[in-house]
PDB file of all heavy atoms in Angstrom:
ATOM      1  N   TYR A   1       0.810  -1.222   0.000  1.00 98.00           N
ATOM      2  CA  TYR A   1       0.000   0.000   0.000  1.00 98.00           C
ATOM      3  C   TYR A   1       0.842   1.270   0.000  1.00 98.00           C
ATOM      4  O   TYR A   1       0.313   2.361  -0.265  1.00 98.00           O
ATOM      5  CB  TYR A   1      -0.916   0.016   1.230  1.00 98.00           C
ATOM      6  CG  TYR A   1      -2.009  -1.021   1.174  1.00 98.00           C
ATOM      7  CD1 TYR A   1      -1.742  -2.357   1.469  1.00 98.00           C
ATOM      8  CD2 TYR A   1      -3.305  -0.678   0.826  1.00 98.00           C
ATOM      9  CE1 TYR A   1      -2.733  -3.326   1.412  1.00 98.00           C
ATOM     10  CE2 TYR A   1      -4.309  -1.635   0.762  1.00 98.00           C
ATOM     11  CZ  TYR A   1      -4.007  -2.956   1.052  1.00 98.00           C
ATOM     12  OH  TYR A   1      -4.991  -3.908   0.981  1.00 98.00           O
ATOM     13  N   LEU A   2       2.122   1.158   0.286  1.00 98.00           N
ATOM     14  CA  LEU A   2       2.934   2.357   0.463  1.00 98.00           C
ATOM     15  C   LEU A   2       3.033   3.222  -0.800  1.00 98.00           C
ATOM     16  O   LEU A   2       2.969   4.457  -0.712  1.00 98.00           O
ATOM     17  CB  LEU A   2       4.328   1.978   0.977  1.00 98.00           C
ATOM     18  CG  LEU A   2       4.333   1.301   2.363  1.00 98.00           C
ATOM     19  CD1 LEU A   2       5.765   1.027   2.814  1.00 98.00           C
ATOM     20  CD2 LEU A   2       3.601   2.141   3.397  1.00 98.00           C
ATOM     21  N   PRO A   3       3.174   2.644  -2.001  1.00 98.00           N
ATOM     22  CA  PRO A   3       3.187   3.515  -3.193  1.00 98.00           C
ATOM     23  C   PRO A   3       1.896   4.310  -3.354  1.00 98.00           C
ATOM     24  O   PRO A   3       1.931   5.486  -3.754  1.00 98.00           O
ATOM     25  CB  PRO A   3       3.388   2.521  -4.346  1.00 98.00           C
ATOM     26  CG  PRO A   3       4.061   1.338  -3.732  1.00 98.00           C
ATOM     27  CD  PRO A   3       3.466   1.240  -2.356  1.00 98.00           C
ATOM     28  N   GLN A   4       0.753   3.699  -3.045  1.00 97.00           N
ATOM     29  CA  GLN A   4      -0.523   4.406  -3.168  1.00 97.00           C
ATOM     30  C   GLN A   4      -0.658   5.489  -2.097  1.00 97.00           C
ATOM     31  O   GLN A   4      -1.213   6.564  -2.347  1.00 97.00           O
ATOM     32  CB  GLN A   4      -1.692   3.417  -3.064  1.00 97.00           C
ATOM     33  CG  GLN A   4      -1.710   2.339  -4.131  1.00 97.00           C
ATOM     34  CD  GLN A   4      -2.100   2.875  -5.502  1.00 97.00           C
ATOM     35  OE1 GLN A   4      -1.858   4.029  -5.832  1.00 97.00           O
ATOM     36  NE2 GLN A   4      -2.711   2.029  -6.312  1.00 97.00           N
ATOM     37  N   ILE A   5      -0.172   5.200  -0.893  1.00 98.00           N
ATOM     38  CA  ILE A   5      -0.183   6.214   0.157  1.00 98.00           C
ATOM     39  C   ILE A   5       0.660   7.412  -0.269  1.00 98.00           C
ATOM     40  O   ILE A   5       0.265   8.573  -0.094  1.00 98.00           O
ATOM     41  CB  ILE A   5       0.337   5.622   1.487  1.00 98.00           C
ATOM     42  CG1 ILE A   5      -0.668   4.606   2.026  1.00 98.00           C
ATOM     43  CG2 ILE A   5       0.602   6.717   2.509  1.00 98.00           C
ATOM     44  CD1 ILE A   5      -0.167   3.812   3.230  1.00 98.00           C
ATOM     45  N   GLU A   6       1.828   7.125  -0.878  1.00 98.00           N
ATOM     46  CA  GLU A   6       2.697   8.221  -1.323  1.00 98.00           C
ATOM     47  C   GLU A   6       2.018   9.061  -2.408  1.00 98.00           C
ATOM     48  O   GLU A   6       2.070  10.298  -2.385  1.00 98.00           O
ATOM     49  CB  GLU A   6       4.021   7.650  -1.831  1.00 98.00           C
ATOM     50  CG  GLU A   6       5.044   8.719  -2.163  1.00 98.00           C
ATOM     51  CD  GLU A   6       6.411   8.143  -2.464  1.00 98.00           C
ATOM     52  OE1 GLU A   6       6.566   6.901  -2.462  1.00 98.00           O
ATOM     53  OE2 GLU A   6       7.332   8.945  -2.690  1.00 98.00           O
ATOM     54  N   LYS A   7       1.344   8.392  -3.353  1.00 97.00           N
ATOM     55  CA  LYS A   7       0.617   9.125  -4.397  1.00 97.00           C
ATOM     56  C   LYS A   7      -0.478   9.994  -3.790  1.00 97.00           C
ATOM     57  O   LYS A   7      -0.668  11.153  -4.178  1.00 97.00           O
ATOM     58  CB  LYS A   7      -0.013   8.143  -5.398  1.00 97.00           C
ATOM     59  CG  LYS A   7       0.966   7.456  -6.323  1.00 97.00           C
ATOM     60  CD  LYS A   7       0.218   6.488  -7.241  1.00 97.00           C
ATOM     61  CE  LYS A   7       1.176   5.657  -8.072  1.00 97.00           C
ATOM     62  NZ  LYS A   7       0.448   4.650  -8.897  1.00 97.00           N
ATOM     63  N   LEU A   8      -1.194   9.426  -2.838  1.00 97.00           N
ATOM     64  CA  LEU A   8      -2.291  10.143  -2.196  1.00 97.00           C
ATOM     65  C   LEU A   8      -1.781  11.374  -1.462  1.00 97.00           C
ATOM     66  O   LEU A   8      -2.354  12.473  -1.582  1.00 97.00           O
ATOM     67  CB  LEU A   8      -3.006   9.200  -1.223  1.00 97.00           C
ATOM     68  CG  LEU A   8      -4.330   9.676  -0.639  1.00 97.00           C
ATOM     69  CD1 LEU A   8      -5.420   9.680  -1.705  1.00 97.00           C
ATOM     70  CD2 LEU A   8      -4.738   8.780   0.529  1.00 97.00           C
ATOM     71  N   LYS A   9      -0.692  11.218  -0.717  1.00 97.00           N
ATOM     72  CA  LYS A   9      -0.154  12.346   0.045  1.00 97.00           C
ATOM     73  C   LYS A   9       0.468  13.402  -0.858  1.00 97.00           C
ATOM     74  O   LYS A   9       0.483  14.589  -0.516  1.00 97.00           O
ATOM     75  CB  LYS A   9       0.870  11.845   1.067  1.00 97.00           C
ATOM     76  CG  LYS A   9       0.255  11.099   2.234  1.00 97.00           C
ATOM     77  CD  LYS A   9      -0.597  12.019   3.106  1.00 97.00           C
ATOM     78  CE  LYS A   9       0.267  13.051   3.822  1.00 97.00           C
ATOM     79  NZ  LYS A   9      -0.547  13.906   4.735  1.00 97.00           N
ATOM     80  N   THR A  10       0.975  12.987  -2.017  1.00 97.00           N
ATOM     81  CA  THR A  10       1.513  13.952  -2.971  1.00 97.00           C
ATOM     82  C   THR A  10       0.396  14.792  -3.571  1.00 97.00           C
ATOM     83  O   THR A  10       0.520  16.015  -3.730  1.00 97.00           O
ATOM     84  CB  THR A  10       2.283  13.221  -4.088  1.00 97.00           C
ATOM     85  OG1 THR A  10       3.361  12.482  -3.504  1.00 97.00           O
ATOM     86  CG2 THR A  10       2.853  14.214  -5.089  1.00 97.00           C
ATOM     87  N   LYS A  11      -0.722  14.139  -3.872  1.00 97.00           N
ATOM     88  CA  LYS A  11      -1.859  14.833  -4.483  1.00 97.00           C
ATOM     89  C   LYS A  11      -2.650  15.643  -3.467  1.00 97.00           C
ATOM     90  O   LYS A  11      -3.155  16.734  -3.767  1.00 97.00           O
ATOM     91  CB  LYS A  11      -2.767  13.799  -5.150  1.00 97.00           C
ATOM     92  CG  LYS A  11      -3.882  14.410  -5.997  1.00 97.00           C
ATOM     93  CD  LYS A  11      -4.636  13.318  -6.751  1.00 97.00           C
ATOM     94  CE  LYS A  11      -5.752  13.898  -7.609  1.00 97.00           C
ATOM     95  NZ  LYS A  11      -6.489  12.820  -8.318  1.00 97.00           N
ATOM     96  N   TYR A  12      -2.770  15.120  -2.242  1.00 97.00           N
ATOM     97  CA  TYR A  12      -3.556  15.779  -1.186  1.00 97.00           C
ATOM     98  C   TYR A  12      -2.696  15.906   0.074  1.00 97.00           C
ATOM     99  O   TYR A  12      -2.901  15.191   1.055  1.00 97.00           O
ATOM    100  CB  TYR A  12      -4.814  14.977  -0.861  1.00 97.00           C
ATOM    101  CG  TYR A  12      -5.699  14.681  -2.042  1.00 97.00           C
ATOM    102  CD1 TYR A  12      -5.697  13.422  -2.650  1.00 97.00           C
ATOM    103  CD2 TYR A  12      -6.565  15.650  -2.554  1.00 97.00           C
ATOM    104  CE1 TYR A  12      -6.515  13.136  -3.723  1.00 97.00           C
ATOM    105  CE2 TYR A  12      -7.388  15.385  -3.636  1.00 97.00           C
ATOM    106  CZ  TYR A  12      -7.349  14.119  -4.222  1.00 97.00           C
ATOM    107  OH  TYR A  12      -8.169  13.842  -5.291  1.00 97.00           O
ATOM    108  N   PRO A  13      -1.728  16.810   0.086  1.00 96.00           N
ATOM    109  CA  PRO A  13      -0.800  16.882   1.216  1.00 96.00           C
ATOM    110  C   PRO A  13      -1.465  17.232   2.547  1.00 96.00           C
ATOM    111  O   PRO A  13      -0.930  16.908   3.613  1.00 96.00           O
ATOM    112  CB  PRO A  13       0.201  17.965   0.802  1.00 96.00           C
ATOM    113  CG  PRO A  13      -0.481  18.742  -0.281  1.00 96.00           C
ATOM    114  CD  PRO A  13      -1.384  17.780  -0.974  1.00 96.00           C
ATOM    115  N   GLU A  14      -2.621  17.879   2.498  1.00 95.00           N
ATOM    116  CA  GLU A  14      -3.299  18.253   3.743  1.00 95.00           C
ATOM    117  C   GLU A  14      -4.098  17.094   4.349  1.00 95.00           C
ATOM    118  O   GLU A  14      -4.550  17.181   5.494  1.00 95.00           O
ATOM    119  CB  GLU A  14      -4.252  19.435   3.503  1.00 95.00           C
ATOM    120  CG  GLU A  14      -3.560  20.695   3.016  1.00 95.00           C
ATOM    121  CD  GLU A  14      -2.471  21.146   3.980  1.00 95.00           C
ATOM    122  OE1 GLU A  14      -2.761  21.216   5.189  1.00 95.00           O
ATOM    123  OE2 GLU A  14      -1.341  21.408   3.532  1.00 95.00           O
ATOM    124  N   PHE A  15      -4.296  16.039   3.582  1.00 96.00           N
ATOM    125  CA  PHE A  15      -5.048  14.871   4.049  1.00 96.00           C
ATOM    126  C   PHE A  15      -4.189  14.116   5.059  1.00 96.00           C
ATOM    127  O   PHE A  15      -3.104  13.653   4.739  1.00 96.00           O
ATOM    128  CB  PHE A  15      -5.406  13.984   2.862  1.00 96.00           C
ATOM    129  CG  PHE A  15      -6.344  12.853   3.176  1.00 96.00           C
ATOM    130  CD1 PHE A  15      -7.672  13.105   3.488  1.00 96.00           C
ATOM    131  CD2 PHE A  15      -5.905  11.533   3.149  1.00 96.00           C
ATOM    132  CE1 PHE A  15      -8.548  12.057   3.767  1.00 96.00           C
ATOM    133  CE2 PHE A  15      -6.771  10.487   3.420  1.00 96.00           C
ATOM    134  CZ  PHE A  15      -8.096  10.756   3.732  1.00 96.00           C
ATOM    135  N   GLN A  16      -4.676  14.001   6.288  1.00 94.00           N
ATOM    136  CA  GLN A  16      -3.885  13.424   7.367  1.00 94.00           C
ATOM    137  C   GLN A  16      -4.089  11.905   7.436  1.00 94.00           C
ATOM    138  O   GLN A  16      -5.222  11.421   7.353  1.00 94.00           O
ATOM    139  CB  GLN A  16      -4.303  14.039   8.704  1.00 94.00           C
ATOM    140  CG  GLN A  16      -4.091  15.531   8.800  1.00 94.00           C
ATOM    141  CD  GLN A  16      -2.641  15.875   9.078  1.00 94.00           C
ATOM    142  OE1 GLN A  16      -2.062  15.405  10.054  1.00 94.00           O
ATOM    143  NE2 GLN A  16      -2.048  16.683   8.221  1.00 94.00           N
ATOM    144  N   ILE A  17      -2.995  11.180   7.600  1.00 96.00           N
ATOM    145  CA  ILE A  17      -3.066   9.730   7.753  1.00 96.00           C
ATOM    146  C   ILE A  17      -2.389   9.339   9.057  1.00 96.00           C
ATOM    147  O   ILE A  17      -1.189   9.544   9.239  1.00 96.00           O
ATOM    148  CB  ILE A  17      -2.417   8.983   6.574  1.00 96.00           C
ATOM    149  CG1 ILE A  17      -3.105   9.355   5.260  1.00 96.00           C
ATOM    150  CG2 ILE A  17      -2.490   7.469   6.808  1.00 96.00           C
ATOM    151  CD1 ILE A  17      -2.505   8.682   4.042  1.00 96.00           C
ATOM    152  N   ALA A  18      -3.190   8.795   9.967  1.00 94.00           N
ATOM    153  CA  ALA A  18      -2.677   8.236  11.218  1.00 94.00           C
ATOM    154  C   ALA A  18      -2.756   6.720  11.088  1.00 94.00           C
ATOM    155  O   ALA A  18      -3.802   6.175  10.747  1.00 94.00           O
ATOM    156  CB  ALA A  18      -3.505   8.721  12.407  1.00 94.00           C
ATOM    157  N   ILE A  19      -1.663   6.047  11.351  1.00 97.00           N
ATOM    158  CA  ILE A  19      -1.581   4.619  11.059  1.00 97.00           C
ATOM    159  C   ILE A  19      -1.256   3.822  12.314  1.00 97.00           C
ATOM    160  O   ILE A  19      -0.437   4.233  13.143  1.00 97.00           O
ATOM    161  CB  ILE A  19      -0.519   4.363   9.961  1.00 97.00           C
ATOM    162  CG1 ILE A  19      -0.586   2.936   9.430  1.00 97.00           C
ATOM    163  CG2 ILE A  19       0.880   4.680  10.459  1.00 97.00           C
ATOM    164  CD1 ILE A  19       0.261   2.718   8.176  1.00 97.00           C
ATOM    165  N   HIS A  20      -1.959   2.684  12.476  1.00 96.00           N
ATOM    166  CA  HIS A  20      -1.590   1.718  13.505  1.00 96.00           C
ATOM    167  C   HIS A  20      -0.462   0.871  12.919  1.00 96.00           C
ATOM    168  O   HIS A  20      -0.702   0.047  12.036  1.00 96.00           O
ATOM    169  CB  HIS A  20      -2.779   0.834  13.867  1.00 96.00           C
ATOM    170  CG  HIS A  20      -3.719   1.449  14.844  1.00 96.00           C
ATOM    171  ND1 HIS A  20      -5.074   1.525  14.643  1.00 96.00           N
ATOM    172  CD2 HIS A  20      -3.494   2.032  16.046  1.00 96.00           C
ATOM    173  CE1 HIS A  20      -5.649   2.122  15.672  1.00 96.00           C
ATOM    174  NE2 HIS A  20      -4.719   2.449  16.530  1.00 96.00           N
ATOM    175  N   THR A  21       0.746   1.054  13.395  1.00 98.00           N
ATOM    176  CA  THR A  21       1.893   0.400  12.766  1.00 98.00           C
ATOM    177  C   THR A  21       2.040  -1.060  13.171  1.00 98.00           C
ATOM    178  O   THR A  21       2.591  -1.852  12.418  1.00 98.00           O
ATOM    179  CB  THR A  21       3.207   1.103  13.136  1.00 98.00           C
ATOM    180  OG1 THR A  21       3.466   0.936  14.537  1.00 98.00           O
ATOM    181  CG2 THR A  21       3.153   2.576  12.784  1.00 98.00           C
ATOM    182  N   ALA A  22       1.563  -1.449  14.372  1.00 97.00           N
ATOM    183  CA  ALA A  22       1.950  -2.706  15.015  1.00 97.00           C
ATOM    184  C   ALA A  22       3.482  -2.692  15.178  1.00 97.00           C
ATOM    185  O   ALA A  22       4.086  -1.610  15.241  1.00 97.00           O
ATOM    186  CB  ALA A  22       1.449  -3.910  14.244  1.00 97.00           C
ATOM    187  N   LEU A  23       4.127  -3.847  15.241  1.00 98.00           N
ATOM    188  CA  LEU A  23       5.576  -3.870  15.463  1.00 98.00           C
ATOM    189  C   LEU A  23       6.314  -3.602  14.154  1.00 98.00           C
ATOM    190  O   LEU A  23       5.963  -4.158  13.108  1.00 98.00           O
ATOM    191  CB  LEU A  23       6.005  -5.220  16.038  1.00 98.00           C
ATOM    192  CG  LEU A  23       5.499  -5.532  17.448  1.00 98.00           C
ATOM    193  CD1 LEU A  23       6.009  -6.903  17.907  1.00 98.00           C
ATOM    194  CD2 LEU A  23       5.915  -4.459  18.443  1.00 98.00           C
ATOM    195  N   VAL A  24       7.329  -2.756  14.225  1.00 98.00           N
ATOM    196  CA  VAL A  24       8.152  -2.443  13.049  1.00 98.00           C
ATOM    197  C   VAL A  24       9.617  -2.394  13.465  1.00 98.00           C
ATOM    198  O   VAL A  24       9.940  -2.237  14.648  1.00 98.00           O
ATOM    199  CB  VAL A  24       7.763  -1.088  12.409  1.00 98.00           C
ATOM    200  CG1 VAL A  24       6.344  -1.111  11.869  1.00 98.00           C
ATOM    201  CG2 VAL A  24       7.940   0.070  13.394  1.00 98.00           C
ATOM    202  N   ASP A  25      10.502  -2.517  12.459  1.00 98.00           N
ATOM    203  CA  ASP A  25      11.923  -2.288  12.680  1.00 98.00           C
ATOM    204  C   ASP A  25      12.309  -0.962  12.038  1.00 98.00           C
ATOM    205  O   ASP A  25      11.459  -0.233  11.511  1.00 98.00           O
ATOM    206  CB  ASP A  25      12.756  -3.453  12.127  1.00 98.00           C
ATOM    207  CG  ASP A  25      12.509  -3.703  10.642  1.00 98.00           C
ATOM    208  OD1 ASP A  25      11.904  -2.829   9.963  1.00 98.00           O
ATOM    209  OD2 ASP A  25      12.912  -4.774  10.140  1.00 98.00           O
ATOM    210  N   ASP A  26      13.590  -0.633  12.062  1.00 98.00           N
ATOM    211  CA  ASP A  26      14.054   0.648  11.513  1.00 98.00           C
ATOM    212  C   ASP A  26      13.673   0.798  10.043  1.00 98.00           C
ATOM    213  O   ASP A  26      13.241   1.868   9.609  1.00 98.00           O
ATOM    214  CB  ASP A  26      15.576   0.763  11.637  1.00 98.00           C
ATOM    215  CG  ASP A  26      16.032   1.100  13.048  1.00 98.00           C
ATOM    216  OD1 ASP A  26      15.168   1.285  13.929  1.00 98.00           O
ATOM    217  OD2 ASP A  26      17.263   1.179  13.265  1.00 98.00           O
ATOM    218  N   VAL A  27      13.841  -0.279   9.276  1.00 98.00           N
ATOM    219  CA  VAL A  27      13.605  -0.216   7.835  1.00 98.00           C
ATOM    220  C   VAL A  27      12.136   0.085   7.550  1.00 98.00           C
ATOM    221  O   VAL A  27      11.804   0.982   6.761  1.00 98.00           O
ATOM    222  CB  VAL A  27      14.040  -1.530   7.147  1.00 98.00           C
ATOM    223  CG1 VAL A  27      13.617  -1.530   5.683  1.00 98.00           C
ATOM    224  CG2 VAL A  27      15.542  -1.723   7.279  1.00 98.00           C
ATOM    225  N   MET A  28      11.225  -0.643   8.200  1.00 98.00           N
ATOM    226  CA  MET A  28       9.801  -0.434   7.951  1.00 98.00           C
ATOM    227  C   MET A  28       9.351   0.929   8.454  1.00 98.00           C
ATOM    228  O   MET A  28       8.528   1.597   7.802  1.00 98.00           O
ATOM    229  CB  MET A  28       8.988  -1.541   8.607  1.00 98.00           C
ATOM    230  CG  MET A  28       7.505  -1.515   8.227  1.00 98.00           C
ATOM    231  SD  MET A  28       7.261  -1.721   6.430  1.00 98.00           S
ATOM    232  CE  MET A  28       5.516  -1.423   6.280  1.00 98.00           C
ATOM    233  N   ALA A  29       9.888   1.359   9.576  1.00 98.00           N
ATOM    234  CA  ALA A  29       9.527   2.679  10.096  1.00 98.00           C
ATOM    235  C   ALA A  29       9.895   3.771   9.095  1.00 98.00           C
ATOM    236  O   ALA A  29       9.106   4.693   8.837  1.00 98.00           O
ATOM    237  CB  ALA A  29      10.218   2.921  11.435  1.00 98.00           C
ATOM    238  N   LEU A  30      11.062   3.656   8.506  1.00 98.00           N
ATOM    239  CA  LEU A  30      11.502   4.659   7.525  1.00 98.00           C
ATOM    240  C   LEU A  30      10.669   4.590   6.252  1.00 98.00           C
ATOM    241  O   LEU A  30      10.405   5.609   5.615  1.00 98.00           O
ATOM    242  CB  LEU A  30      12.992   4.481   7.224  1.00 98.00           C
ATOM    243  CG  LEU A  30      13.934   4.877   8.358  1.00 98.00           C
ATOM    244  CD1 LEU A  30      15.362   4.436   8.053  1.00 98.00           C
ATOM    245  CD2 LEU A  30      13.892   6.395   8.600  1.00 98.00           C
ATOM    246  N   ARG A  31      10.247   3.394   5.877  1.00 98.00           N
ATOM    247  CA  ARG A  31       9.400   3.257   4.679  1.00 98.00           C
ATOM    248  C   ARG A  31       8.035   3.900   4.903  1.00 98.00           C
ATOM    249  O   ARG A  31       7.490   4.559   4.014  1.00 98.00           O
ATOM    250  CB  ARG A  31       9.254   1.792   4.305  1.00 98.00           C
ATOM    251  CG  ARG A  31      10.559   1.154   3.823  1.00 98.00           C
ATOM    252  CD  ARG A  31      10.387  -0.308   3.507  1.00 98.00           C
ATOM    253  NE  ARG A  31       9.611  -0.509   2.284  1.00 98.00           N
ATOM    254  CZ  ARG A  31       9.221  -1.689   1.830  1.00 98.00           C
ATOM    255  NH1 ARG A  31       9.513  -2.773   2.530  1.00 98.00           N
ATOM    256  NH2 ARG A  31       8.540  -1.794   0.717  1.00 98.00           N
ATOM    257  N   LEU A  32       7.467   3.697   6.070  1.00 98.00           N
ATOM    258  CA  LEU A  32       6.204   4.360   6.395  1.00 98.00           C
ATOM    259  C   LEU A  32       6.372   5.871   6.359  1.00 98.00           C
ATOM    260  O   LEU A  32       5.537   6.608   5.814  1.00 98.00           O
ATOM    261  CB  LEU A  32       5.713   3.919   7.778  1.00 98.00           C
ATOM    262  CG  LEU A  32       5.274   2.465   7.926  1.00 98.00           C
ATOM    263  CD1 LEU A  32       5.033   2.136   9.401  1.00 98.00           C
ATOM    264  CD2 LEU A  32       4.017   2.182   7.113  1.00 98.00           C
ATOM    265  N   ASP A  33       7.468   6.331   6.932  1.00 98.00           N
ATOM    266  CA  ASP A  33       7.748   7.767   6.976  1.00 98.00           C
ATOM    267  C   ASP A  33       7.882   8.350   5.569  1.00 98.00           C
ATOM    268  O   ASP A  33       7.280   9.380   5.239  1.00 98.00           O
ATOM    269  CB  ASP A  33       9.033   7.988   7.771  1.00 98.00           C
ATOM    270  CG  ASP A  33       9.337   9.456   8.019  1.00 98.00           C
ATOM    271  OD1 ASP A  33       8.405  10.283   7.942  1.00 98.00           O
ATOM    272  OD2 ASP A  33      10.498   9.776   8.299  1.00 98.00           O
ATOM    273  N   SER A  34       8.636   7.674   4.711  1.00 98.00           N
ATOM    274  CA  SER A  34       8.882   8.203   3.368  1.00 98.00           C
ATOM    275  C   SER A  34       7.639   8.186   2.497  1.00 98.00           C
ATOM    276  O   SER A  34       7.550   8.919   1.508  1.00 98.00           O
ATOM    277  CB  SER A  34      10.023   7.433   2.690  1.00 98.00           C
ATOM    278  OG  SER A  34       9.666   6.085   2.508  1.00 98.00           O
ATOM    279  N   SER A  35       6.648   7.350   2.856  1.00 98.00           N
ATOM    280  CA  SER A  35       5.398   7.334   2.086  1.00 98.00           C
ATOM    281  C   SER A  35       4.517   8.532   2.397  1.00 98.00           C
ATOM    282  O   SER A  35       3.565   8.812   1.659  1.00 98.00           O
ATOM    283  CB  SER A  35       4.628   6.038   2.359  1.00 98.00           C
ATOM    284  OG  SER A  35       4.029   6.060   3.633  1.00 98.00           O
ATOM    285  N   GLY A  36       4.807   9.224   3.495  1.00 98.00           N
ATOM    286  CA  GLY A  36       4.042  10.418   3.831  1.00 98.00           C
ATOM    287  C   GLY A  36       3.107  10.280   5.015  1.00 98.00           C
ATOM    288  O   GLY A  36       2.315  11.187   5.294  1.00 98.00           O
ATOM    289  N   ILE A  37       3.180   9.154   5.727  1.00 97.00           N
ATOM    290  CA  ILE A  37       2.343   8.964   6.911  1.00 97.00           C
ATOM    291  C   ILE A  37       2.613  10.101   7.903  1.00 97.00           C
ATOM    292  O   ILE A  37       3.754  10.485   8.148  1.00 97.00           O
ATOM    293  CB  ILE A  37       2.639   7.606   7.570  1.00 97.00           C
ATOM    294  CG1 ILE A  37       2.298   6.447   6.634  1.00 97.00           C
ATOM    295  CG2 ILE A  37       1.904   7.476   8.903  1.00 97.00           C
ATOM    296  CD1 ILE A  37       0.843   6.256   6.367  1.00 97.00           C
ATOM    297  N   ASP A  38       1.548  10.620   8.501  1.00 96.00           N
ATOM    298  CA  ASP A  38       1.691  11.746   9.429  1.00 96.00           C
ATOM    299  C   ASP A  38       1.918  11.299  10.871  1.00 96.00           C
ATOM    300  O   ASP A  38       2.746  11.878  11.578  1.00 96.00           O
ATOM    301  CB  ASP A  38       0.432  12.626   9.375  1.00 96.00           C
ATOM    302  CG  ASP A  38       0.210  13.211   7.993  1.00 96.00           C
ATOM    303  OD1 ASP A  38       0.906  14.173   7.659  1.00 96.00           O
ATOM    304  OD2 ASP A  38      -0.648  12.687   7.255  1.00 96.00           O
ATOM    305  N   VAL A  39       1.149  10.298  11.306  1.00 96.00           N
ATOM    306  CA  VAL A  39       1.180   9.884  12.707  1.00 96.00           C
ATOM    307  C   VAL A  39       1.280   8.368  12.789  1.00 96.00           C
ATOM    308  O   VAL A  39       0.548   7.654  12.104  1.00 96.00           O
ATOM    309  CB  VAL A  39      -0.088  10.344  13.460  1.00 96.00           C
ATOM    310  CG1 VAL A  39      -0.060   9.875  14.908  1.00 96.00           C
ATOM    311  CG2 VAL A  39      -0.230  11.859  13.403  1.00 96.00           C
TER     312      VAL A  39
END
């Protein structure tokens, strides 16, 4: 879903996305961040 999240945030930067991450490591945390997740 991350490419679609990135497209969505690029098109609608004001649209806020808060995500339940569950357990993540450094790599996944950075991938979520780079997709544009806000919280």
Side-chain angles (χ1 to χ4, degrees):
Y1 291 78
L2 297 183
Q4 299 288 29
I5 291 172
E6 187 171 2
K7 288 179 187 176
L8 191 71
K9 288 293 293 183
T10 300
K11 188 173 180 181
Y12 305 102
E14 299 303 311
F15 188 70
Q16 299 281 304
I17 301 179
I19 191 169
H20 278 129
T21 67
L23 293 180
V24 296
D25 57 14
D26 283 358
V27 172
M28 188 61 188
L30 289 170
R31 293 178 72 186
L32 292 171
D33 187 21
S34 63
S35 74
I37 297 291
D38 299 283
V39 178

